[in-house]
Amino acid sequence: YCSVIAEASPDAVAMVNLLVMCSSHPDTNISSLTFVFWWKLNAALKDSPGDEVRNQRLAALQGCLQQMVVVLARLAMFPEECSEWDPAQEDEFKNFRVETLYDAILDVCEMLGGAACLQTIFPQLQQHVEECKANPDKWREVEGCLFCIRAFARYVHCTESQVTPSLLALYNRLSEHYRVRQSFTIVIAKFGRWINEHGQLLTPLLDYVVQGLGIPKVGRLSAEALQDLCQHCAVHMASPLQLNGLLQIYSNMNTLDISDQERIIEGLGTVLVRVQDGQSLSQMLDAVAASPVQQATASLQQRNKGELTKQLKKIRTLIKGGVMACETSGDEAQREALAAAWAEQFNKVWPVLEQTMVAYGGEEDLMEDVCRCIKSAIQAMGSRFEQFVGPFATTAVNCFIAHPLSCILYAVTTLVGFFGRLKTMVPPLLQMLHALSQRTLTVLSGTDAFSQSPDIVTEYFELIGRGLRRFPQELWAGQLVVNAFQCGVASFYTELAHREALQSIVRFFDHVVLADANDNNAEAYQQERAMAANFLLSQGQFAHNGGQPMAHGQAMVQALLHGICTKSSVLVEPVSMVLLDLGRLLPTQTNEWIKISMQAIPEAVVFAGAQAAFLRDVGGAEHIRGMKQAVRGLHRAARPA
């Protein structure tokens, strides 16, 4: 009846008021039964015939919704006995608030509006703050209101000026109870965009957040809030006053958990990008990066793996913060300044990464950090990373040959993606790919290797696929694509069940079939399409039951349909795309390959009627939707056992 109630007749309003009363029941197991109503009412109001009608209905329901805001704040309160709870009881209440109550708050707020919700709850909050001064136990009412307000922030516009300034000015009047400080710290973070538009409030609120870094049970949330303020208020934070304060925090944060340090460093990296003077940026980056680089160097000499891990995380996070800031702002001048600054700084960082790869090449956790540093450095430095490609290639290949880890393939994929279109860089990249491919295929030739090394499978096919998207003609000129293709076909007849690995292989097949890396160049596009077609029509190492070699395209189609019948449904969409693209490249051969492949599937796996239906549906599929329906039907009909 929600669609009828949403019309907001007098009787409907009375019904909504009754539901508000039901929602106010103190037993959350009972009150929460009504929450789905507010979601349905919100959806029904969105379906109103026009904004004018919707606004009229909301006006009629406004009183009910305002009452519901007060009810929600009361339900959000911690019970009196919360100080006696064991961890399980506390987790149960937190789950109720975050997973159940929070959605109801959002639904009501979306109907009433963020500003109206603030205007409703703020007088209650002010009263509870004053009461808390005389009775500290009133912290529960204060915290309940703040919990709701942090949800309202999503719907409060940056121009709102009636309540938000007074709300944020409460920072020096609130109870010091740790739960109140937790909630108000989150409120500050949620209002980060509003604070950015009203920079005069940043300093006292920032001081409040920073004070929380040293308070037990508040430190993690304070670090998260500081990171959010750095992101949303980066221009203000880049002023000399705020930046000096941030640098002092950075210099004195060693007592914090490493995860909290990473949040602060990422925030600092975001702010440094906003320093207007490129020379100042370089100097500050040098000052900030010097400590982790020096400590990492000392850790290498002392063989202190734990400390080395911490310092590598700091370096990676600092680079990442700047990259994310540039991507968010889209400011090319900032990106260029960051690239220049990191190009200078990376001369000091690279020896640490290189020595770590040599000393700890078999330590997967450390190598993950090194490779993430490399990826972030490529993103930060752009073409300036070119001077490090040679040293990195040599070290990475030697390391992978000795210790084949997927993270190295992942880092090289980033390198190929960025430099693969530069003609001068193709030969060294191609040489890297050959060396890495040879070692990878050796790894995957072992018994159960595909199922035991799914991460290597995933990253290897992503790497070769990225190469096909960057320098396809050079790859087609050798055996690298052929070897990877045959490896991919073979994988479908193994026990490989890893979803990402299977998807990566099918994406590689689609890159082979599409051959559209240079679709903006008509001549190159036609050449590459012809190369792909000739390869798919040529005979490979796989044979029919009679012993006659199959065409590569036939082997691929047969492997894909075998996978549809024996593996996860995650293959349905990507396999459908490959079959559709293959049909556009080689329509006659594709239909023939599909028919032959279906003959290889026993009726015990897919009965004859389902096979016939699949062949009929595939033949009539002109778009991805029809192809997916056909492939999904085959998957559902299959009985792989």
Side-chain angles (χ1 to χ4, degrees), residues 218-253:
V218 184
R220 178 181 60 82
L221 292 173
S222 297
E224 291 175 356
L226 182 56
Q227 181 184 354
D228 287 341
L229 288 175
C230 288
Q231 177 184 346
H232 296 308
C233 310
V235 174
H236 296 294
M237 296 287 282
S239 67
L241 175 64
Q242 303 294 2
L243 186 54
N244 286 336
L246 196 55
L247 290 172
Q248 288 181 7
I249 296 169
Y250 172 77
S251 301
N252 296 281
M253 65 178 188

Side-chain angles (χ1 to χ4, degrees), residues 165-195:
S166 300
L167 165 67
L168 295 176
L170 290 175
Y171 68 91
N172 59 356
R173 296 165 53 196
L174 292 172
S175 163
E176 283 299 317
H177 193 285
Y178 77 91
R179 292 197 192 276
V180 173
R181 183 172 273 275
Q182 284 177 337
S183 284
F184 195 67
T185 299
I186 296 174
V187 166
I188 292 173
K190 296 291 186 182
F191 278 88
R193 289 186 175 86
W194 189 96
I195 295 169

Side-chain angles (χ1 to χ4, degrees), residues 39 118 131 148 152 169 184 255 311 355 381-382 448 608 615 628:
W39 172 70
L118 277 182
E131 292 171 348
C148 292
F152 299 160
F184 195 67
T255 57
Q311 303 310 321
Q355 291 172 37
M381 295 164 59
D448 298 328
L615 292 172
K628 281 169 61 176

Side-chain angles (χ1 to χ4, degrees), residues 560-571:
L560 291 176
L561 295 183
H562 176 83
I564 287 295
C565 294
T566 60
K567 297 186 184 295
S568 166
S569 62
V570 73
L571 287 174

Side-chain angles (χ1 to χ4, degrees), residues 318-358:
L318 183 61
I319 306 174
K320 178 183 172 185
V323 171
M324 292 179 64
C326 289
E327 290 176 348
T328 302
S329 70
D331 190 322
E332 286 302 318
Q334 287 180 356
R335 184 180 292 277
E336 181 61 23
L338 178 72
W342 265 114
E344 181 179 341
Q345 188 61 38
F346 203 71
N347 283 299
K348 302 172 185 176
V349 173
W350 168 246
V352 172
L353 302 181
E354 184 178 35
Q355 291 172 37
T356 303
M357 295 174 76
V358 172

